[in-house]
């Protein structure tokens, strides 16, 4: 099973070159949008006069992200900013973070704005649909395999098993199948 991958990059722009940065951002987003698996991108700044820019872009899976990152189009785009833009950090995210919450602010127009987050009650319902049956199953198994352990150790064992199962398997699977209802 594949999960979407979000890449977060912090870049700094040379003072006085904000207009060029906006043009460069738009060009990169337009190029990335032509690649299979591209799910969107956006930029934010801490303040309008900030030299620091935060880019987020998202691809459907590692393979489509790798195709974009190895492409001559991306190489050309990055080269076009030499002397204008510096890169200070890169972070890749998969799993539960950022599933439901859209970015809080935008300083630059987003070429593919995200859909609004589903209502909290729908998010809670989807999490419950996964969490309850898995909790019952995990506690039933723990009751048979480690029933003689002290309660805090049994709970710790169940949580250590359930957390990765929920984050990387169960929640992505159910969320994908419930998308029609979450976004309705």
């Amino acid at each position: 099973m594949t999960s979407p991958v979000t890449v977060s990059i912090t870049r700094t722009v040379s003072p006085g070159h904000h207009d060029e940065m906006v043009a460069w951002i738009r060009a990169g987003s337009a190029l990335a949008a032509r690649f299979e698996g591209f799910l969107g991108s956006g930029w934010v700044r801490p303040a309008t006069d900030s030299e620091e820019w935060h880019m987020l872009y998202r691809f459907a899976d590692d393979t489509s992200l790798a195709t974009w990152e190895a492409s001559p189009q991306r190489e050309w785009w990055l080269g076009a900013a030499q002397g204008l833009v510096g890169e200070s950090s890169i972070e890749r995210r998969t799993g539960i973070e950022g599933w439901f919450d859209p970015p809080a602010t935008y300083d630059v127009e987003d070429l593919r704005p995200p859909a609004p987050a589903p209502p909290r009650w729908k998010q809670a319902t989807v999490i419950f649909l996964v969490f309850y049956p898995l909790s019952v199953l995990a506690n039933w198994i723990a009751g048979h395999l480690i029933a003689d352990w002290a309660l805090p150790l049994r709970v710790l064992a169940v949580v250590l098993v359930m957390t990765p199962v929920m984050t990387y398997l169960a929640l992505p699977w159910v969320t994908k199948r419930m998308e029609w209802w979450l976004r309705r």
Side-chain angles (χ1 to χ4, degrees), residues 33-184:
R34 296 179 182 170
F35 282 75
E36 177 128 0
F38 179 70
L39 299 176
S41 65
W43 287 79
V44 294
R45 290 190 292 173
T48 56
D49 60 345
S50 176
E51 306 302 330
E52 187 175 80
W53 297 60
H54 302 280
M55 175 187 186
L56 295 171
Y57 58 91
R58 189 164 173 90
F59 279 83
D61 52 43
D62 286 319
T63 303
S64 56
L65 173 63
T67 301
W68 159 247
E69 289 183 334
S71 71
Q73 292 91 331
R74 182 174 180 268
E75 186 177 337
W76 171 85
W77 175 68
L78 290 173
Q82 292 299 318
L84 171 68
V85 177
E87 190 172 286
S88 59
S89 71
I90 298 177
E91 182 180 335
R92 292 174 193 268
R93 300 179 188 162
T94 58
I96 196 169
E97 73 276 357
W99 276 355
F100 296 117
D101 298 327
T105 61
Y106 290 93
D107 184 48
V108 178
E109 177 185 345
D110 185 356
L111 296 179
R112 285 190 182 190
R120 291 273 182 208
W121 70 269
K122 285 187 175 186
Q123 296 174 37
T125 302
V126 168
I127 291 168
F128 175 82
L129 289 173
V130 175
F131 187 76
Y132 179 73
L134 278 178
S135 293
V136 170
L137 179 64
N139 283 293
W140 181 81
I141 291 170
H144 287 83
L145 297 178
I146 55 175
D148 56 337
W149 290 17
L151 179 63
L153 289 177
R154 258 193 341 261
V155 170
L156 177 63
V158 168
V159 169
L160 285 174
V161 170
M162 291 253 320
T163 299
V165 169
M166 290 278 297
T167 302
Y168 296 107
L169 299 174
L171 274 173
W173 188 84
V174 168
T175 300
K176 186 179 238 180
R177 277 142 192 85
M178 296 296 292
E179 188 72 22
W180 62 273
W181 180 72
L182 283 166
R183 300 290 179 190
R184 183 170 48 186

